[in-house]
Amino acid sequence: MDKDTDAEIPKSSGLATLLFRWFDHRTGVHDFAKKVLDEHIPGGARFAYVFGSGLLFIFLLQAVTGVCLALYYTPTAETAHTSVAYITKQVAGGAFLRSLHSYGSSAMIIVLALHFLQTFLFGSYKGRRELLWLSGALLSFLVLGMGFTGYLLPWDQKAYFATAVGTNIMGQAPLIGNLLIRLVRGGDTIGTLTLSRFYVAHVFLIPATIFMFIGAHILLFRKAGPAGPVKEHPITPKLPPEHFYPRQVLMDMAFVLLIMAALAALSYFHPATLGPIANPADTHFLPRPEWYYLPMFEWLKFWEGPYVVVGVMVLPGLLAMVFFLMPFLDRKLERSPWRRPIPVLAVAFVVLGMVFLGAKSRSDDRDNPDIAAQLDLQAAQEKAYSAAPFEPYLESPEGMGAVLASTGTVSPLVAVGKGIFTKRGCIGCHGGTGMGTAAAPSLVGVTRKFPEAALIALLHNPSPKMRAGRMPVVDAPPSEMSALVAYLGVLGTSAANVPPIYNLPAPQPSPGAIENVSFKVDARRFAGDVRQAAPTALSASAVVGQQLFQERACFACHGQAGTGGRAPALAPLIAKLPDAQLMQLLQDPNSRMRAGGMPPVVASPEQIGSLISYLRTLPLPQPSRQVAPEYPLPNEVSHPEMRLAPPVYVAENTPPAFPGGNAILSKTVVPVGTTTTLADSQPSPGRELFVARGCIACHGTNAQGTRYAPSLIGVATRFPGDKLPYLLHRPTSKMHDGGMPAVTLNDAQMADLVAYLSSLQPAPAAPPTRQVSADLRVATAQPEPSIVGVAQTTSTLEVRESSLSPLAARGKRIFQRSACETCHGVGGINGTIAAPGLAGTASLLPESTIEALLRHHTARMEKGGMPLTNFNAQDMRGIVSYIRSMTPAPEGKKLVASEIRSARN
């Protein structure tokens, strides 16, 4: 240090002074501070110059709060959301800290925009300041990159879907679009690899680059010097200068204090919220980006088809180029904005256009009632999740993902309640583990929100909001309600991982009955008549068979107790068949059975024997309620009672049993005793299309109608000529509301389908008989044995899993947890109107092909609403193994495969 500088430091002998002199001799900090604070500002200090210092402060605030948040954050798809919830709900001051970081990102964008406008209007980029402008422009894009990469890290619904939209925009780039998406996401889907890449970019790469360019920006600024007011010459300043210290320092500090107060007030009074965990299967969620990306979001709506590249890449690219090259395009030394009309008007046009697009995006959302209602629902769900208590992440012993810790002894009713939850179709909307799906919210913690009495009352009488979400009335007896509430109380804990029992416990039994684990069959009603069934006992083998009946989703076609549904009642069909012949038919169905959608039962002889034992216990319906067989068995001719009328389907107000079901169309009721002329005695191409296309899922196996959709018998008479093909190609709005998709077939296939539908003609009407409601039919269809013990719970679970490998069993649990059953049906076997069953073509594909389809959806899958999948490698292997373990349907295989090939072509 020279003598002049050294002389400015006080010579007193105080300890602080001595330490400072010692430190300064080794670092030169005094000289550095002098150079910084003695900077000359032409024309004096002004409040217009505070934005650069404000930006630097906000960036340092973001760095400090970001480091604190990173101490608790874990960047994986399984734990990211839980770790952010832990910061927000458990860490002392965590919500305030996260809110500072969240609001700080928006404050940085605002101050950056003000800094740009001040620099542009003052012409501060003129006069050998081109590199200074370029470094600032690069810093602007890095700040936007920080906002984009940080948006995904909470891993909630809003973050996931907004990032999906943002990364999809990259895919519009010609030639390299797919490469960019895979590079940013770490694959074709958004998952843990995407999260880790965004985390590294947000925490390490972009901040390091920003620090580097901040240093370069300051050095270039010091080299060029402050530009001063607009009347100052940009190269040779003439106005009297003023030191940076003290007036400009005080102005900068006042602005920084204002920013601190605003951020602190927002963080304290309006803490940042956190939405539910990301659910890629949610097809109802409407993604909306942060406010500073809304103009671009609205801009993209104006471009479709081949012009997307122009709107997404060309025009924004030209705008960015003009932004970077502004000092080279506006080279005159004139700085007054009034004398630079063209640049000023161009910038004003862009800024006002962005404001207009952002406001229009908000206005369009509010003007559309459906969109506004969905956005309000999403905001309410986000607010509700933020207010809910923290739920820690624990690895489920069955590989089912995040669960809560068990809080006490498990009631025996839990397993029974789980059976009721499954049997009544609650899993279709709320998911196999009650964690929620796109169709309905999570039920975890519902018993903490509502006392038992209030919850039961709500299930008996859903609120208007629940009814609007298609929540049906749970009309169950008190014993079932108690078991159901017991299961709901342990949802989200390891206590819920019990095998379901599909029967209710009887009143307090005797000790001997508990030891024998006997099952009693209650009296049932058939066609309005009461018939007392003889008390029977289910053997251990029949219990296993009952579990197999549920496990293989046989109830989806034959009804919960095999009393008929989309397929005929089983008891009259098998009554006179020997066990050996029945086993052969189960393992190798005849052509009529396969045409009706019956797949082979792939199981061990012991398991099929158990299934037959259970089928032998099924009750025989009264003749007035017997159902026409959908396919004959070998000795059908000798049993005329097996050729009776199809089942009655009425009950206009019966709610749909599958998620996404809409208002039921007007039903065509087929009275009991009426016969129909059906063209399925010899399977035709049209019949095969009707089966393969899943039409039987809603219209019934013989098109006789179900509670999901009306009968098609006589439809060709109502729509003659070209009207029926036209209607199938272009369903009406009412049909769409009922869930009817457009039938996309070539001309030959459509002709075959129309020919089959034309053959469905009603026979001469029989004498009118009393119609039986669907509610009564369901109520009387299944004998519900009463379990008096749960001693066989463990062995039952072992039998249910024994037909699957450990990897396939894991895949099945993931399949259920991910709400795949919402579209593909129970177990993914038979499918629904929303998606096809996977037992068949999908199960026969090679493992690599199935995985490729799950990771890279075909155009038909995307059009059908197949959501993105984000399984890790182990989960993906499990899903693929489970799909390949499904029972194939040989006769439908070639047809479906040909349809898939034709659709792709």
Side-chain angles (χ1 to χ4, degrees):
M1 183 179 292
D2 56 29
K3 294 182 179 180
D4 293 338
T5 303
D6 192 55
E8 294 179 7
I9 302 177
K11 298 292 185 180
S12 61
S13 59
L15 179 61
T17 303
L18 292 175
L19 288 175
F20 178 77
R21 288 172 63 84
W22 177 87
F23 185 75
D24 180 62
H25 274 295
R26 288 156 179 79
T27 61
V29 65
H30 182 270
D31 187 49
F32 175 77
K34 186 174 184 329
K35 288 182 179 180
V36 171
L37 297 177
D38 287 348
E39 177 187 2
H40 288 206
I41 302 177
R46 295 172 184 264
F47 274 107
Y49 305 151
V50 301
F51 301 115
S53 299
L55 270 176
L56 181 60
F57 165 75
I58 296 175
F59 175 71
L60 294 177
L61 175 68
Q62 292 296 94
V64 172
T65 55
V67 168
C68 295
L69 294 173
L71 296 176
Y72 298 94
Y73 184 76
T74 52
T76 68
E78 290 79 14
T79 57
H81 185 265
T82 305
S83 63
V84 176
Y86 178 75
I87 294 171
T88 306
K89 301 178 180 182
Q90 294 292 107
V91 176
F96 182 80
L97 187 71
R98 178 172 174 263
S99 299
L100 278 179
H101 194 77
S102 177
Y103 288 126
S105 63
S106 295
M108 201 167 186
I109 300 295
I110 295 173
V111 177
L112 177 64
L114 294 174
H115 186 51
F116 160 73
L117 291 176
Q118 180 270 321
T119 303
F120 172 77
L121 292 176
F122 276 49
S124 301
Y125 55 88
K126 296 176 177 290
R128 302 170 185 170
R129 292 180 175 83
E130 297 90 350
L131 292 179
L132 178 62
W133 176 267
L134 288 175
S135 64
L138 284 172
L139 282 171
S140 301
F141 280 90
L142 289 172
V143 168
L144 291 175
M146 282 286 287
F148 180 68
T149 54
Y151 200 65
L152 176 66
L153 300 187
W155 198 248
D156 58 1
Q157 289 279 76
K158 180 171 64 175
Y160 179 91
F161 285 101
T163 303
V165 172
T167 53
N168 284 336
I169 293 175
M170 300 179 184
Q172 303 298 329
L175 302 179
I176 61 171
N178 290 333
L179 179 63
L180 284 176
I181 288 182
R182 292 178 61 84
L183 179 65
V184 172
R185 292 181 175 178
D188 293 291
T189 58
I190 299 177
T192 296
L193 287 178
T194 315
L195 198 59
S196 62
R197 293 187 181 208
F198 275 53
Y199 178 76
V200 169
H202 186 76
V203 175
F204 299 105
L205 299 182
I206 298 180
T209 308
I210 289 179
F211 270 117
M212 181 178 67
F213 276 98
I214 285 177
H217 194 69
I218 293 175
L219 288 177
L220 292 170
F221 178 77
R222 295 304 302 271
K223 173 65 178 176
V230 294
K231 59 184 177 180
E232 180 63 281
H233 194 275
I235 299 178
T236 56
K238 299 177 181 179
L239 296 176
E242 181 181 357
H243 290 296
F244 180 72
Y245 178 83
R247 288 187 68 232
Q248 191 63 50
V249 171
L250 292 175
M251 291 180 183
D252 289 355
M253 291 180 62
F255 183 63
V256 166
L257 288 174
L258 179 64
I259 293 174
M260 291 177 61
L263 292 178
L266 279 173
S267 301
Y268 183 80
F269 293 106
H270 299 282
T273 57
L274 178 67
I277 189 171
N279 178 16
D282 189 347
T283 58
H284 298 279
F285 192 89
L286 293 178
R288 291 296 182 268
E290 276 296 299
W291 64 269
Y292 43 84
Y293 281 119
L294 269 182
M296 186 63 178
F297 177 78
E298 182 67 21
W299 171 257
L300 296 177
K301 297 179 182 178
F302 294 95
W303 305 90
E304 295 180 357
Y307 301 103
V308 170
V309 176
V310 177
V312 175
M313 295 295 167
V314 177
L315 294 181
L318 290 175
L319 186 63
M321 185 181 298
V322 171
F323 176 63
F324 272 88
L325 298 180
M326 190 174 292
F328 302 97
L329 299 176
D330 185 15
R331 298 186 60 83
K332 293 182 180 180
L333 297 181
E334 178 58 54
R335 296 179 56 191
S336 173
W338 307 112
R339 297 181 181 180
R340 296 183 290 131
I342 295 179
V344 171
L345 287 175
V347 171
F349 177 78
V350 173
V351 172
L352 292 177
M354 294 176 67
V355 173
F356 169 75
L357 289 174
K360 187 176 186 303
S361 179
R362 298 278 191 184
S363 176
D364 290 347
D365 287 344
R366 289 296 138 196
D367 292 342
N368 189 314
D370 294 336
I371 293 179
Q374 178 63 27
L375 292 177
D376 290 341
L377 176 62
Q378 292 172 190
Q381 290 174 343
E382 188 172 326
K383 184 177 179 181
Y385 182 84
S386 298
F390 173 67
E391 298 174 355
Y393 175 88
L394 294 176
E395 183 65 26
S396 166
E398 294 189 354
M400 296 182 69
V403 299
L404 301 180
S406 180
T407 56
T409 304
V410 180
S411 169
L413 286 180
V414 169
V416 178
K418 186 172 184 178
I420 296 170
F421 188 82
T422 303
K423 182 176 65 176
R424 285 187 170 266
C426 307
I427 62 173
C429 293
H430 295 283
T433 56
M435 297 291 185
T437 68
S442 170
L443 295 176
V444 175
V446 69
T447 54
R448 294 196 296 270
K449 298 178 183 178
F450 302 98
E452 181 175 352
L455 181 57
I456 292 176
L458 198 61
L459 292 173
H460 279 307
N461 185 23
S463 66
K465 185 177 180 181
M466 295 166 66
R467 291 180 184 273
R470 305 185 182 92
M471 171 69 184
V473 174
V474 182
D475 189 11
S479 55
E480 285 194 9
M481 277 296 186
S482 299
L484 182 59
V485 171
Y487 175 64
L488 295 179
V490 300
L491 281 178
T493 74
S494 57
N497 297 331
V498 296
I501 296 177
Y502 297 96
N503 310 291
L504 284 176
Q508 186 63 35
S510 63
I514 294 179
E515 293 175 2
N516 295 328
V517 197
S518 61
F519 297 83
K520 298 180 180 179
V521 180
D522 297 332
R524 292 295 161 194
R525 294 178 179 268
F526 293 94
D529 299 325
V530 179
R531 186 180 67 140
Q532 191 73 22
T536 59
L538 289 183
S539 64
S541 178
V543 173
V544 173
Q546 184 186 35
Q547 295 290 347
L548 285 172
F549 189 84
Q550 297 287 341
E551 180 74 16
R552 300 300 177 93
C554 306
F555 63 85
C557 293
H558 293 285
Q560 285 291 346
T563 52
R566 284 161 38 187
L570 290 171
L573 290 177
I574 67 173
K576 298 184 179 181
L577 288 179
D579 288 353
Q581 188 175 6
L582 181 55
M583 179 178 290
Q584 181 181 358
L585 281 172
L586 290 173
Q587 293 176 323
D588 184 21
N590 60 36
S591 59
R592 295 287 302 281
M593 295 167 67
R594 287 175 175 173
M598 173 67 183
V601 178
V602 179
S604 66
E606 293 77 11
Q607 290 176 317
I608 295 181
S610 298
L611 180 59
I612 293 174
S613 297
Y614 170 66
L615 297 180
R616 296 298 186 192
T617 67
L618 298 178
L620 282 169
Q622 290 287 356
S624 60
R625 289 292 299 158
Q626 289 176 336
V627 179
E630 311 295 345
Y631 33 75
L633 295 176
N635 55 354
E636 178 186 13
V637 178
S638 61
H639 301 292
E641 71 277 7
M642 299 170 65
R643 296 192 299 272
L644 298 176
V648 176
Y649 291 93
V650 290
E652 295 283 338
N653 299 324
T654 304
F658 61 97
N662 295 298
I664 301 175
L665 302 177
S666 60
K667 302 294 183 291
T668 302
V669 179
V670 183
V672 175
T674 300
T675 60
T676 55
T677 304
L678 302 176
D680 61 348
S681 59
Q682 296 296 329
S684 64
R687 167 68 183 177
E688 293 177 354
L689 281 168
F690 189 80
V691 173
R693 283 280 173 169
C695 308
I696 62 174
C698 292
H699 293 285
T701 309
N702 282 334
Q704 76 277 13
T706 69
R707 59 179 176 174
Y708 306 141
S711 170
L712 296 178
I713 297 171
V715 67
T717 304
R718 298 197 302 272
F719 300 96
D722 294 335
K723 292 184 179 180
L724 182 57
Y726 182 86
L727 194 64
L728 293 173
H729 278 306
R730 301 171 182 83
T732 64
S733 58
K734 185 176 181 180
M735 295 166 66
H736 269 302
D737 293 340
M740 172 69 184
V743 180
T744 54
L745 296 173
N746 58 38
D747 293 342
Q749 290 175 323
M750 181 60 75
D752 290 337
L753 181 60
V754 171
Y756 169 68
L757 295 178
S758 300
S759 69
L760 303 175
Q761 298 296 332
T769 57
R770 177 169 48 88
Q771 295 179 356
V772 184
S773 70
D775 290 337
L776 180 59
R777 178 175 57 83
V778 172
T780 62
Q782 179 182 7
E784 298 179 355
S786 300
I787 183 173
V788 294
V790 292
Q792 293 185 342
T793 294
T794 304
S795 62
T796 300
L797 177 61
E798 293 172 354
V799 172
R800 292 174 61 206
E801 298 291 341
S802 63
S803 61
L804 298 175
S805 67
L807 186 61
R810 174 187 176 91
K812 179 180 179 180
R813 292 189 290 270
I814 297 169
F815 188 87
Q816 295 171 336
R817 183 189 69 195
S818 302
C820 304
E821 293 179 328
T822 300
C823 293
H824 292 286
V826 178
I829 297 174
N830 293 313
T832 68
I833 190 172
L838 299 177
T841 300
S843 63
L844 297 178
L845 294 174
E847 293 181 2
S848 57
T849 304
I850 297 177
E851 181 172 351
L853 285 172
L854 290 175
R855 295 193 184 279
H856 319 289
H857 302 339
T858 64
R860 184 176 181 184
M861 294 167 67
E862 292 178 354
K863 186 177 180 181
M866 175 70 179
L868 297 174
T869 53
N870 63 333
F871 301 121
N872 58 38
Q874 183 67 16
D875 288 352
M876 180 61 76
R877 286 195 295 270
I879 285 285
V880 171
S881 178
Y882 174 59
I883 292 176
R884 284 177 56 80
S885 71
M886 292 180 181
T887 303
E891 291 200 353
K893 176 188 64 176
K894 294 182 180 180
L895 177 62
V896 177
S898 64
E899 288 179 353
I900 292 175
R901 286 194 295 270
S902 64
R904 290 180 179 175
N905 294 333

